[in-house]
Amino acid sequence: MDSNQFKDLVARAERQAEADPRGYLLRVCGIAALGLGILGVVIGLALVNLALIAGLLLLVIITGGKALLLFLKLGKLLVLLALPVWAMLRATFTLLCARFPPLIGREIGSDEAPALFARLAALRERIAGPRVHRVLLTDELNAAIVQRPRLGIFGWSENTLILGLRLLQAVSEAEAMAVVAHEYGHLAGNHGRFAGFIYRFRSAWGRLQAMSEQWSDWGSRLIARLFRWYAPRFNAYTFALARQNEYLADRTSAELVGAGQAADALMRVGIAARYESEGFWPAIQRRIAREPEPPAGRSLLRRQRQREGLDAEARQRYLDAAQREATDPFDTHPALVDRLAALGACADPAAAQRLAPPVTSAAEAWFGSLLPVLSAEFDRRWCDEVSGEW
């Protein structure tokens, strides 16, 4: 499926969702059931092949080895029959026994950030949601909660909260909790059990499709082709529901921490993202020509530049630019202007005035004396990654 076909299917599904919400959900049930059926067929083929092999072995044992003589007489015919059986068996076991790629990040223990884990425990109690098993810190301006099955396709999920250090350094603790509450809303299925299932099923199929791209033998490629046919269609058709879920997760955030904090978090992250792409990183690139090595204290430098460069005028300019952006048809996340409108907020001059860089960031509140150590770890890793360009 090319990008135009995907876009057309998304638009058609959104029109159906708007015109007939109940009928759209029934169609989503149908396409999700098809996905479960595909997985069931793949697993069933593996079981059939196992049963066939076990039956042949049992026949050899029962006949005292006489059946083995018959197999030898069949010769090439048996080989021709066995090859596709073996290929399919290998392909299905590749799927069933595969493990999803590990998540990359620096794991944070409860003893390293007790304030963060206390806030997560309180959030879980309020929303009566599932446990967050791990917290990973990354060098990103983003946050997410990822549910990954420990046993591959068989399940036993592990929930991992991923927090970007650059995001935590840009927002206050209350705003960071608004971001976490949004992500936790997805995990807890606060937009409904069925919608929560579809949210996780979309994520699982995306990972299955990506994983199948690595399969090389022809039997596995047959399954991979089936996955590549189904996954984009499921993704496109459930796109409208996924976008609705983003609004509902924002509503969950507003209910848990307040609509004002939820809106401020959205605007603050939008400002930080534009500042980094238009201010900080271009300035870093200009240093390549005149400095022999990348700056070692990148995190401290970014913090200083944010305080100096994000005055009220710059914040308003970045917010105005974000307000002009329309929702991307290929992104389930609505544009900032649409998300703010759903929360009853707007990026007005008063918002630009109050969204100065926080005196105490969420990173400082949650990591305390550990923050310089974490920043130094990510700075060293970044220096190693970009040293070839310098």
Side-chain angles (χ1 to χ4, degrees):
M1 178 183 292
D2 60 31
S3 60
N4 288 329
Q5 291 173 321
F6 182 87
K7 187 175 179 180
D8 290 343
L9 184 53
V10 168
R12 189 161 66 247
E14 288 183 325
R15 289 193 297 269
Q16 291 173 349
E18 185 175 353
D20 182 12
R22 183 178 178 83
Y24 169 73
L25 289 178
L26 289 175
R27 293 183 182 92
V28 169
C29 284
I31 196 170
L34 176 61
L36 292 172
I38 289 173
L39 295 178
V41 167
V42 172
I43 295 171
L45 286 172
L47 295 177
V48 168
N49 290 331
L50 276 177
L52 179 61
I53 292 173
L56 293 175
L57 291 175
L58 184 61
L59 183 61
V60 170
I61 294 172
I62 292 175
T63 60
K66 293 180 181 178
L68 188 59
L69 296 175
L70 176 61
F71 296 155
L72 292 174
K73 291 180 181 179
L74 291 175
K76 293 182 179 179
L77 177 60
L78 185 61
V79 172
L80 291 175
L81 292 174
L83 283 176
V85 171
W86 167 248
M88 184 57 69
L89 185 64
R90 180 180 175 182
T92 49
F93 269 91
T94 298
L95 171 64
L96 298 179
C97 299
R99 295 291 179 267
F100 292 113
L103 298 171
I104 305 301
R106 202 278 200 187
E107 186 161 1
I108 300 295
S110 58
D111 57 327
E112 294 178 306
L116 167 61
F117 281 84
R119 297 299 296 270
L120 292 178
L123 179 64
R124 181 189 180 194
E125 184 176 352
R126 284 192 62 188
I127 204 171
R131 176 188 171 194
V132 172
H133 299 97
R134 301 169 66 212
V135 175
L136 292 184
L137 194 66
T138 65
D139 189 24
E140 297 176 338
L141 187 70
N142 197 14
I145 281 185
V146 178
Q147 190 172 65
R148 298 174 70 253
R150 295 182 179 97
L151 300 179
I153 200 171
F154 292 107
W156 191 30
S157 294
E158 176 186 67
N159 304 317
T160 301
L161 172 63
I162 302 174
L163 296 173
L165 182 58
R166 281 157 42 201
L167 182 145
L168 297 182
Q169 289 175 322
V171 301
S172 68
E173 183 181 16
E175 291 161 350
M177 283 309 302
V179 175
V180 172
H182 171 99
E183 300 300 334
Y184 198 76
H186 286 308
L187 181 65
N190 241 34
H191 32 57
R193 291 182 180 274
F194 176 70
F197 165 74
I198 293 298
Y199 177 84
R200 294 187 291 272
F201 203 44
R202 278 172 57 87
S203 178
W205 265 104
R207 294 194 298 270
L208 283 172
Q209 183 186 6
M211 187 172 61
S212 69
E213 300 290 343
Q214 310 301 317
W215 298 343
S216 56
D217 64 274
W218 70 269
S220 298
R221 287 199 300 269
L222 289 176
I223 296 178
R225 287 182 63 183
L226 182 60
F227 283 9
R228 285 194 294 270
W229 173 86
Y230 173 78
R233 285 164 176 78
F234 174 73
N235 184 33
Y237 201 79
T238 57
F239 201 90
L241 184 62
R243 184 168 286 167
Q244 291 172 4
N245 290 347
E246 292 301 327
Y247 287 115
L248 292 171
D250 280 346
R251 190 184 305 167
T252 298
S253 177
E255 291 171 354
L256 291 171
V257 302
Q261 294 290 359
D264 283 357
L266 291 172
M267 288 187 282
R268 180 96 70 182
V269 173
I271 290 171
R274 284 191 168 272
Y275 166 73
E276 286 202 358
S277 64
E278 299 178 18
F280 181 73
W281 290 119
I284 292 293
Q285 289 292 322
R286 288 192 293 271
R287 298 175 67 161
I288 295 178
R290 64 177 187 269
E291 297 181 10
E293 295 180 354
R298 179 201 53 157
S299 296
L300 180 60
L301 178 63
R302 182 175 56 244
R303 182 75 167 147
Q304 292 172 341
R305 291 286 179 84
Q306 281 178 335
R307 292 186 182 278
E308 296 168 1
L310 282 178
D311 57 19
E313 181 182 350
R315 296 194 298 271
Q316 187 63 63
R317 185 172 67 252
Y318 290 146
L319 284 176
D320 289 342
Q323 289 262 84
R324 292 191 293 270
E325 285 187 349
T327 295
D328 186 340
F330 296 102
D331 189 353
T332 57
H333 290 80
L336 176 63
V337 62
D338 297 327
R339 295 177 72 176
L340 290 177
L343 290 171
C346 64
D348 55 15
Q353 287 291 333
R354 70 173 179 271
L355 289 174
V359 175
T360 301
S361 70
E364 292 167 328
W366 286 346
F367 301 130
S369 60
L370 182 64
L371 180 57
V373 177
L374 296 171
S375 297
E377 288 181 19
F378 286 118
D379 287 349
R380 283 195 300 271
R381 191 174 304 166
W382 174 78
C383 287
D384 292 340
E385 291 173 353
V386 302
S387 60
E389 302 174 11
W390 231 263

